[in-house]
Amino acid sequence: MKKVLISPLKYLQGNSELSNLGIYVRDFGYNALLVASSDDEKRVEQQLVEANKKENFNMIHGDFKEECTKKEIERLRRKSVENDCDVIVGLGGGKALDTAKAVAHFENKPVIIIPTIASSDAPCSSLAVVYTENGEFEEYIFFKKNPDLVLVDTGIIAKAPSRFLVAGMGDALSTYFEARSCREAYANNIPGGKSTLAALAVAELCYETLLSDSLKALAACDNNVVTPALENIIESNILLSGLGFESSGLAAAHAIHNGLTALEETHNYFHGEKVAFGVIVHLVLENAPIEELNTVLSYCKSIGLPVSLRDLGVEEITREKIMKVAELACAEGETIYNMPFDITVEGVYGAIIAAHQLGLNVK
Ligand SMILES: [Zn+2]
């Protein structure tokens, strides 16, 4: 059996670590192209000044335009060439990070990834989501390698709004269940092999850490302070979930997320928030034991993750609307076919309705 595991070359996490950026840039050269929006750059201005004092490097401001499009990637590639950049530094949320990865890939340069929120497991991955100029999904780009360095400053993440951290917990919540289904089905992971024992253990640890430390971490983030529990949750959201999903595979929960995008009402909700409801549908679809379902439902409820369609802004439930979600979740090539049994649109429709009812029942 062919097994594959991929990961970033280095993962580094700590309070105030951004002020060491110069040291890490100098591992690769002197000229660094910073892919960050002006808002995100302003948020960490102080740390960037400090970083340059500690170890001098030349920072070229890319002034990222907020969307990962082909045009934006092209523009930043030109900037990298014009300034003879040695390394690309992505800083901010998913879109800036994806753009930085793409620029580095096409220019064949090393990339440093600095997430300023922990809202999803994208920072460690070897792929990017590209959008059209109108903000619609265009394509995934898969890269030859994962980032050279993922640099996580816990102090910066603690100062971001808690809703981002909670959304990241929702994304991380799916990792273990999707990994488990992929293993049962002998489905392929993202790099096209079967899961290793290592990746499965990481996915399991991700779930255990969420259950034990989420509430404590949220209390810390609500007050913008770093505690050991917050550090553990940041690691779960970014590293454990990142390794877990990429090297163990995705299944129903993420396909349900994609299906939910058919409903206009859900558009203001984060990826991880929709994935959390996707996890409940995933568990109903595989008829998981009631104890496990109750654990997940009360976990979500305790930290403010959606447990029903109503929690995702969908007030009016009609067969026609939910069938649309089910159909999109079952589109050709979707990861729902990684589940270890046959999938039908009608079956998925039923699981969504029942999951929604279970969520409404939670007090
Ligand atoms: Zn995800």
Side-chain angles (χ1 to χ4, degrees), residues 120-122 170-172 174 178 241 245 250 254 257 271-272 275:
S120 84
D121 53 20
D171 201 19
S174 68
E178 292 185 289
S241 181
F245 102 80
L250 296 174
H254 270 79
H257 162 279
H271 171 84
V275 170

Side-chain angles (χ1 to χ4, degrees), residues 198-209:
L200 288 169
V202 162
E204 227 170 307
L205 180 62
C206 181
Y207 180 50
E208 284 166 19
T209 309

Side-chain angles (χ1 to χ4, degrees), residues 21 23-28 32-33 87-91 97 100-101 104 109-114 147-151:
L21 179 62
I23 298 165
Y24 306 125
V25 164
R26 292 298 291 266
D27 281 344
F28 302 108
L33 176 69
V87 55
I88 314 298
V89 178
L91 180 143
L97 305 184
K101 283 187 221 172
K109 298 288 176 195
V111 63
I112 299 175
I113 290 294
I114 309 169
D148 296 84
L149 170 63
V150 176
L151 177 63

Side-chain angles (χ1 to χ4, degrees), residues 13-16 152-159 226 230-231 234:
Q13 177 187 307
N15 201 348
S16 304
V152 184
D153 188 324
T154 50
I156 291 168
I157 289 175
K159 287 185 188 72
V226 177
L230 179 60
E231 290 180 330
I234 291 171

